[in-house]
Amino acid sequence: MKKKRGKTRLLVLVLAVVVAAGLMAGGAREAEEAPDRVAPEEFDWRQFEGETIVFNFPAHAAYNAVAPLIPEFEELTGITVETDQMAYMRLHDSQVLSMSQPQGDYDLIAMVVMWKAEYADGGLIQPLEPFFEQPHLAMPDYDFDDLVGAYVENTGLVGGDKIYLGGEGAELYGIPLGAETSFLAYRKDLFEEYGIDVPETYDEVVEVARFFSEEVDDVYGLAMRGASGHQATHAWLLHASPFGASVFDENWEPAFTSPESIETLEFMKKMVEYGPPGTASFDQDGQFNAFLQGQTAMYIDASVITGLIGNPERSAITGKVGYALHPRARTGLSQTGGFGIAIPSNSQNPEAAFLLMQWLTSPEIERRAVLDGAPPVRYSTVNDPEMQERFPEFKVLAEQLHYANPDWRPIIPEWGEINEMLGIAINQVLTGDKTPEQAMRDVEQPIRDVMQRAGYYD
Amino acid sequence: MNTALRKTVTPWLFTLPAIACILVILVFPVLSGVRLSFFEYAMRDFAVGRDPVFIGLDNFRILFGSANFRTSIQVTLVFVSSVVIFELLLGLVLALLMEGGIKGLRLFRTLFILPIMIAPVVVGLIWRFMYHPSFGILNYFLLRLGLEPIPWLHSTEWALRSVIIADIWQWTPFVFLILLAGLQGVSRDLIEAGIMDGCSYLQNLFFVKLPAIASIIAVAAILRLIDAFRSLVVIYVMTYGGPGVSTEVLSLHLYKTAFMAQRLGRASAIAVILLAILLLLSSVLVVRTLRAERK
């Protein structure tokens, strides 16, 4: 039943698009004024007055920044918002438990992008297009196209070209909030002192890392993660993307034994060699601290670190850091990841939750959250000259977003298991227990078995 | 109802609530865990409402075919046997030193209990900081002494040893306390009789004291054995099983299988194997002690 209705709706949508396209061909102005949005001043914020919704989210810069603003939403709408904040590794269990009951506890959830295919595939979260299509629900000045495209694809779209990507047949399930890409942060002061150019390629990164580790006392090359499991896989993905390596080929066969992947691992081994002691055991915190305490000259990873760099309580290098594009090898593609928000299928107040969802990611709230340390997810924020003045890294970020790769990691429902298996093997390379070829070959068959059992090769 | 029947039924009636409780909170979960180990069941199946699929012994077959699982068993055995042996030896030595009632015994006892009282997460963090390759206090002292720093947690060679050291630090006091209580309970008459007969300290120790507290040593050993097999948090915090799988004990492997890979059936199979190993080892110990006691 539900499916059928969705199909009819899709048909209507397609028709609408065709008609709109026709109109646009006739006169762009008329199409712009198509009456599917109410005027901003006529939008009824108080239509769900008196209702209560529950919002489940992690302790994370973006959510720490929006949480204090929520009382304003309550005042605006008369909706009561109960918040349930927890450590991000605990979100998954409690969300799955809540969403598999007939009536859920949560009306709005923050999910790590890794979980979106699993949630959408299982029908645990709702497609958002039906909400956006209803004029009385869609916030008039929301400006959806202003949301960073790669983030929307990475956090929100399911069922397109691949299950976790956009393209034909894709549906929107989530909106980015706390999403991030990767770039290069480097110690401006050290680079100036030793007359070093900012690396643009991976070869140059190796050279700079070698220089600092061999020539400068107590300073090492790159801050990188390497701990067994998820952390090591993350580091590998981060560099595999520029080197042109991937986990699977287009037939879902393991592709991490490819020459590009081996090259990625050789690069990472060098970074362990030129990195601070213990690089192969660093999780994200270890990596952050290595850079923040001034141990390394470079950092290539999630852009979320900027908030910490600017905080003198956490960082010994405040004001000494410059930013540049993620270095290039074969490509210059950078990470997409982080969090998005979605509405559970068993939410008891999905429409009220949709209002909060839009409000939280609306241009105005985004601006204020960013000023309070949240990573931006809108083009208008990173491109705003005033914001760029205040956050110099936004200039680089604005450019980097062109290279953000929505197909950065295969977000299939089986990813949790494969993530760990691959991460153990990568860590064994970094500690020198196995050669890159050996480690990748050893894990190839076990991972293929997982895919086989999940029916990818039938 | 006649008196005889009432006499046999009444005790059963009174114990029935207790038996029911045990069934509900102990037997039922264990049995359903064992049952689940023959099924393929992912967390997302639960969410979607898909039923578990019966796959016979496949979970066990996959486990024993997996190199990581076999390493994990090996790591667990090395970890458990080292910590139990060292903790018993150290605990015994400490208990013998303190047994005579030295000055400030109370203070020492309190100090010794501290590690047991600290939450495991904190213990993991403390040791992680001490082992830190650049900021850790251990390598600081090594460097000060002119020695090579040790890659405590980030080399396959050292990580397991480091984890074992932390566990010994935390749990030796526990063994010490039990053994001290045991030693203090040994009748003075026995020891004095030994001295009268001309026993040396060592003879007195090996032929009088230790046999007298043999059962207490066994209890301490069993408690530590069971606990060491289950220890998870400290290792989780310190190494998360790494480097590679060199510190991935069975309980951590189980955790990762259940919550990272989301394979509840296979995780149950690991739990069943863990339970079997524990039952085997502790029953051997119990039977031996009982036999020794009877002699």
Side-chain angles (χ1 to χ4, degrees), chain A residues 2-66:
Chain A
K2 219 173 160 193
K3 264 258 146 69
K4 212 165 196 176
R5 230 178 41 213
K7 264 194 186 144
T8 331
R9 214 172 263 155
L10 198 70
L11 198 69
V12 172
L13 186 71
V14 169
L15 275 176
V17 169
V18 171
V19 172
L23 277 176
M24 261 205 274
R29 184 151 300 158
E30 278 160 343
E32 258 172 31
E33 282 162 17
D36 62 340
R37 291 259 185 278
V38 288
E41 57 279 5
E42 280 164 32
F43 188 72
D44 181 12
W45 280 106
R46 302 197 75 86
Q47 50 189 314
F48 302 111
E49 193 165 354
E51 292 190 9
T52 301
I53 53 178
V54 183
F55 180 22
N56 173 234
F57 58 89
H60 174 275
Y63 295 88
N64 295 342
V66 293

Side-chain angles (χ1 to χ4, degrees), chain A residues 155-275:
Chain A
T155 31
L157 291 179
V158 175
D161 298 337
K162 291 178 189 164
I163 178 177
Y164 56 93
L165 288 179
E168 208 177 301
E171 284 193 277
L172 181 73
Y173 280 91
I175 303 282
L177 178 59
E180 62 192 28
T181 186
S182 57
F183 56 24
L184 166 72
Y186 64 95
R187 287 284 300 283
K188 243 177 356 193
D189 55 335
L190 291 176
F191 274 59
E192 267 165 33
E193 187 181 340
Y194 294 95
I196 293 187
D197 291 332
V198 179
E200 287 173 10
T201 67
Y202 268 79
D203 287 341
E204 290 166 16
V205 171
V206 173
E207 191 41 44
V208 172
R210 191 201 57 75
F211 173 82
F212 278 108
S213 109
E214 287 177 1
E215 309 289 332
V216 183
D217 279 350
D218 297 328
V219 178
Y220 299 90
L222 179 75
M224 184 176 79
R225 315 186 199 183
S228 195
H230 169 76
Q231 308 288 345
T233 308
H234 178 95
W236 179 83
L237 289 167
L238 196 66
H239 306 301
S241 196
F243 276 107
S246 59
V247 183
F248 298 111
D249 67 12
E250 58 280 14
N251 300 317
W252 299 108
E253 290 288 345
F256 43 77
T257 49
S258 69
E260 291 84 2
S261 165
I262 303 299
E263 211 180 328
T264 310
L265 289 166
E266 295 288 357
F267 165 79
M268 291 170 70
K269 276 186 75 154
K270 278 188 201 140
M271 291 305 105
V272 172
E273 191 189 331
Y274 301 143

Side-chain angles (χ1 to χ4, degrees), chain B residues 24 59 142 174 191 193 205 264 273:
Chain B
V24 171
N59 279 329
L142 286 179
F174 172 79
I191 297 167
L205 173 64
L264 300 182
I273 295 169

Side-chain angles (χ1 to χ4, degrees), chain A residues 80-338:
Chain A
T80 309
V81 181
E82 287 174 12
T83 56
D84 182 20
Q85 188 172 21
M86 48 180 72
Y88 92 87
M89 291 306 280
R90 280 190 52 216
L91 290 173
H92 186 263
D93 295 352
S94 75
Q95 287 173 359
V96 168
L97 271 178
S98 159
M99 293 193 296
S100 51
Q101 280 151 15
Q103 283 201 329
D105 302 325
Y106 298 138
D107 301 290
L108 189 63
I109 56 164
M111 57 181 180
V112 180
V113 296
M114 290 192 292
W115 308 330
K116 73 167 179 185
E118 178 193 347
Y119 285 1
D121 194 38
L124 302 180
I125 50 179
Q126 317 196 13
L128 299 176
E129 249 144 80
F131 293 101
F132 277 114
E133 280 164 28
Q134 298 178 53
H136 74 283
L137 290 180
M139 201 175 147
D141 37 10
Y142 183 66
D143 197 1
F144 185 87
D145 296 334
D146 181 38
L147 293 166
V148 172
Y151 288 170
V152 171
E153 180 163 11
N154 184 248
T155 31
L157 291 179
V158 175
D161 298 337
K162 291 178 189 164
I163 178 177
Y164 56 93
L165 288 179
E168 208 177 301
E171 284 193 277
L172 181 73
Y173 280 91
I175 303 282
L177 178 59
E180 62 192 28
T181 186
S182 57
F183 56 24
L184 166 72
Y186 64 95
R187 287 284 300 283
K188 243 177 356 193
D189 55 335
L190 291 176
F191 274 59
E192 267 165 33
E193 187 181 340
Y194 294 95
I196 293 187
D197 291 332
V198 179
E200 287 173 10
T201 67
Y202 268 79
D203 287 341
E204 290 166 16
V205 171
V206 173
E207 191 41 44
V208 172
R210 191 201 57 75
F211 173 82
F212 278 108
S213 109
E214 287 177 1
E215 309 289 332
V216 183
D217 279 350
D218 297 328
V219 178
Y220 299 90
L222 179 75
M224 184 176 79
R225 315 186 199 183
S228 195
H230 169 76
Q231 308 288 345
T233 308
H234 178 95
W236 179 83
L237 289 167
L238 196 66
H239 306 301
S241 196
F243 276 107
S246 59
V247 183
F248 298 111
D249 67 12
E250 58 280 14
N251 300 317
W252 299 108
E253 290 288 345
F256 43 77
T257 49
S258 69
E260 291 84 2
S261 165
I262 303 299
E263 211 180 328
T264 310
L265 289 166
E266 295 288 357
F267 165 79
M268 291 170 70
K269 276 186 75 154
K270 278 188 201 140
M271 291 305 105
V272 172
E273 191 189 331
Y274 301 143
T279 296
S281 66
F282 282 175
D283 57 7
Q284 191 174 25
D285 254 358
Q287 174 199 34
F288 280 171
N289 283 331
F291 188 62
L292 294 173
Q293 299 308 318
Q295 271 196 302
T296 68
M298 291 179 289
Y299 163 95
I300 303 175
D301 207 326
S303 45
V304 73
I305 195 176
T306 53
L308 296 173
I309 291 174
N311 176 0
E313 273 173 33
R314 278 295 306 271
S315 133
I317 54 169
T318 309
K320 297 178 182 166
V321 178
Y323 300 91
L325 289 182
H326 192 122
R328 304 176 56 87
R330 282 185 196 83
T331 79
L333 293 176
S334 59
Q335 179 205 356
T336 49

